[in-house]
Amino acid sequence: MGSESKSFDFLKEIGLGSSNIGSYVNGQWKASGSSVTSVNPSNNQTIAEVTEATLQDYEEGLQACSEAAKTWMTIPAPKRGEIVRQIGEALRAKLDPLGRLVSLEMGKILAEGIGEVQEIIDMCDYAVGLSRQLNGSIIPSERPDHMMFEVWNPLGIVGVITAFNFPCAVLGWNACIALVCGNCVVWKGAPTTPLITIAVTKLVAEVLEKNNLPGAIFTSFCGGADIGQAIAKDTRIPLVSFTGSTKVGLMVQQTVSERFGKCLLELSGNNAIIVMDDADIKLAVRSILFAAVGTAGQRCTTCRRLFLHESIYTNVLDQLVGLYKQVKIGNPLEKGTLVGPLHTRTSVENFQKGISTIKSQARKILTGGSVLESEGNFVQPTIVEISADAPVVKEELFGPVLYVMKFQTLEEAIALNNSVPQGLSSSIFTQRPGTIFKWIGPRGSDCGIVNANIPTNGAEIGGAFGGEKATGGGREAGSDSWKQYMRRSTCTINYGSELPLAQGINFG
């Protein structure tokens, strides 16, 4: 497994070798595409090789998945929940090596890597309970001797296309719910995190095999844009969940909509924190640090814009700059590291281009702004003083860059928060209840996630996750997100001998 094979021994615990097959089709590992390299972003050295799927592999997988759906949807929901419970137990047994793999291949620090795998486990636990609560409503009928109610049934197959920054947690948001709702899952993992896709699939496959269920209930592919496009175009897949950029998400949405399919989109975020004059400054500064530099700024919920009340502007900024200068940047698997590498060399190039643009528009770069000299993809977390009118502030630079701006009134701060195309996450720091309720009310934040006195990132699985505007409008994970993975039928049954019509119509 490359020159660092000794430090990669844990990969054997999760079924990975130096060469790996990158698609699980009809209960078998097979792939006939080209070989790609999984790279460690800390040093850009090879971790392992993966053979990707072709469109021929995809078609074979979808045919088998379509057949498996006929079996899976007829299994009672609580029994499906039992299978998901076992998947959660399988993941729990491999929590540490899977977390290490996330850290190694994606680049996030070990605590975050383990936390990501824990998120799938939590989703499995959540879905098990949900499997006994897929309830429809009973609706009073205006007609005598009639019963009207809702019935929820599976869609059939759910396609899940995930991104590199959360290479397995987002699968959990979708797959755990989709499975208990009676759907088969087709997963295309991120092209740059194929080992995570394979390792998670292996555990799911073992559970299905142990229970004598068709392996095609869960089909996965490592591959490029051609596989993603095939999922988007495929009329056998009624629902496609896509996580990625707004640009690509719009193309996916258009393709799926052309065939009257449904989309769940989790796209770009340009998230803001507002710090009011009465805020707990210590709490705010700690939250901003995690929100802005966690995962090296590569979360969709990363804080990218910071609005500080003019009365506490200097105090907060001085503390924040001081903390930034103490942040340990380095190998994400090493104890004490808070910021790992950007995921790819392309990410570093985008960071450099972004900083160049920022320099032409910003008032001042207070700290950071440079690429570190190393074999890996390390950059300095950056704080920028800038005008809210600067064009670059409206865009999402996917890295640890924080734009800082000053405001005078709550109304001004809310307007600034809402002034960007994206609408994912937002948070305000204040101790005034009235301010909080204005913030979460109809004239407050226009985001899908609206927090108070916590960071913009680190969402719990119990709530529906997603955003508005250019973030895509999708909702995944908790609350009533499950309804998107099923089709609703309104059923009316006449148990009498007369035929009264609705609205009092007399027809002959």
Side-chain angles (χ1 to χ4, degrees):
M1 288 192 187
S3 62
E4 296 181 302
S5 58
K6 290 184 179 180
S7 64
F8 295 166
D9 284 346
F10 69 90
L11 297 181
K12 297 176 184 177
E13 298 179 44
I14 44 180
L16 297 173
S18 57
S19 297
N20 303 274
I21 299 171
S23 70
Y24 183 66
V25 171
N26 195 17
Q28 297 180 326
W29 287 96
K30 58 186 299 185
S32 52
S34 59
S35 179
V36 297
T37 301
S38 172
V39 174
N40 178 357
S42 292
N43 56 22
N44 285 301
Q45 293 184 9
T46 296
I47 303 171
E49 302 291 327
V50 173
T51 302
E52 291 188 321
T54 63
L55 290 177
Q56 183 178 349
D57 299 324
Y58 171 84
E59 181 56 32
E60 182 180 343
L62 261 291
Q63 288 182 16
C65 191
S66 297
E67 285 301 309
K70 297 174 184 177
T71 298
W72 184 242
M73 66 174 54
T74 62
I75 294 173
K79 299 294 185 183
R80 299 192 296 254
E82 167 58 20
I83 301 302
V84 173
R85 186 196 67 79
Q86 293 180 34
I87 292 171
E89 289 303 306
L91 290 164
R92 188 175 276 111
K94 300 294 184 181
L95 174 60
D96 184 76
L98 281 174
R100 287 182 177 276
L101 174 59
V102 172
S103 184
L104 174 69
E105 190 174 36
M106 185 272 150
K108 62 180 63 176
I109 64 173
L110 183 57
E112 290 185 284
I114 291 175
E116 175 166 353
V117 179
Q118 183 63 49
E119 194 163 349
I120 317 181
I121 296 168
D122 292 345
M123 279 302 308
C124 287
D125 291 344
Y126 177 86
V128 173
L130 180 65
S131 69
R132 294 182 181 270
Q133 300 177 64
L134 302 173
N135 305 322
S137 300
I138 295 176
I139 305 160
S141 174
E142 66 183 68
R143 290 171 281 188
D145 296 335
H146 282 60
M147 172 68 74
M148 184 162 56
F149 53 93
E150 293 176 343
V151 174
W152 294 87
N153 282 302
L155 294 172
I157 301 175
V158 172
V160 183
I161 303 173
T162 55
F164 76 85
N165 59 334
F166 280 88
C168 57
V170 175
L171 170 76
W173 296 352
N174 287 276
C176 297
I177 304 298
L179 287 169
V180 297
C181 287
N183 303 297
C184 291
V185 172
V186 173
W187 178 28
K188 179 198 171 297
T192 51
T193 54
L195 299 181
I196 297 166
T197 304
I198 295 168
V200 172
T201 301
K202 281 180 178 288
L203 293 175
V204 176
E206 288 173 6
V207 171
L208 294 173
E209 183 177 355
K210 184 175 68 175
N211 287 274
N212 298 312
L213 288 166
I217 289 170
F218 190 92
T219 302
S220 74
F221 301 104
C222 298
D226 57 336
I227 301 295
Q229 289 167 359
I231 291 173
K233 292 177 181 178
D234 201 325
T235 56
R236 294 168 293 188
I237 303 177
L239 174 65
V240 176
S241 167
F242 173 84
T243 300
S245 70
T246 294
K247 179 181 178 181
V248 177
L250 182 59
M251 291 189 288
V252 170
Q253 183 182 50
Q254 290 171 339
T255 300
V256 175
S257 296
E258 284 175 358
R259 59 176 177 85
F260 296 101
K262 297 197 298 182
C263 263
L264 283 176
L265 300 177
E266 299 290 351
L267 310 177
S268 303
N270 194 352
N271 316 294
I273 287 178
I274 296 168
V275 183
M276 298 297 294
D277 56 335
D278 68 321
D280 181 330
I281 301 301
K282 183 178 179 181
L283 179 66
V285 170
R286 287 177 56 206
S287 298
I288 295 162
L289 180 68
F290 173 60
V293 307
T295 326
Q298 296 171 110
R299 291 187 181 218
C300 53
T301 52
T302 291
C303 178
R304 309 198 183 281
R305 299 177 297 141
L306 176 61
F307 301 114
L308 301 175
H309 189 274
E310 60 183 1
S311 66
I312 48 90
Y313 182 85
T314 302
N315 183 14
V316 172
L317 210 46
D318 287 347
Q319 290 188 45
L320 201 56
V321 170
L323 283 176
Y324 265 57
K325 291 179 178 178
Q326 297 173 36
V327 166
K328 181 182 176 182
I329 306 169
N331 185 337
L333 287 165
E334 290 182 0
K335 187 176 181 180
T337 299
L338 286 183
V339 177
L342 296 184
H343 185 53
T344 63
R345 286 174 172 166
T346 300
S347 302
V348 175
E349 293 170 4
N350 291 337
F351 175 84
Q352 290 174 308
K353 292 175 184 175
I355 292 297
S356 177
T357 302
I358 287 166
K359 286 179 177 178
S360 69
Q361 299 179 20
R363 292 170 182 161
K364 187 178 182 182
I365 294 179
L366 299 176
T367 186
S370 299
V371 176
L372 300 182
E373 291 187 13
S374 73
E375 294 179 340
N377 306 324
F378 297 99
V379 302
Q380 293 177 325
T382 304
I383 300 177
V384 179
E385 279 190 302
I386 197 167
S387 167
D389 297 327
V392 72
V393 174
K394 310 291 185 185
E395 302 167 3
E396 182 190 44
L397 176 57
F398 216 61
V401 177
L402 180 64
Y403 302 119
V404 184
M405 292 150 278
K406 192 181 296 185
F407 72 91
Q408 294 179 326
T409 67
L410 173 62
E411 291 71 24
E412 179 189 0
I414 291 174
L416 290 169
N417 176 80
N418 297 348
S419 66
V420 295
Q422 309 86 354
L424 179 53
S425 186
S426 57
S427 188
I428 195 168
F429 283 79
T430 180
Q431 298 182 63
R432 299 188 190 102
T435 299
I436 292 174
F437 284 103
K438 286 181 181 177
W439 171 241
I440 67 175
R443 298 185 66 182
S445 172
D446 64 359
C447 295
I449 299 171
V450 185
N451 295 332
N453 299 321
I454 65 169
T456 51
N457 52 356
E460 299 179 34
I461 60 102
F465 183 94
E468 301 299 325
K469 303 188 296 188
T471 303
R475 293 296 187 277
E476 296 172 345
S479 186
D480 65 348
S481 299
W482 66 269
K483 293 180 178 179
Q484 297 167 103
Y485 300 84
M486 304 192 82
R487 58 179 177 84
R488 171 168 40 190
S489 301
T490 300
C491 304
T492 306
I493 297 175
N494 179 1
Y495 56 88
S497 58
E498 301 297 325
L499 190 62
L501 300 178
Q503 293 84 47
I505 294 174
N506 184 0
F507 192 73

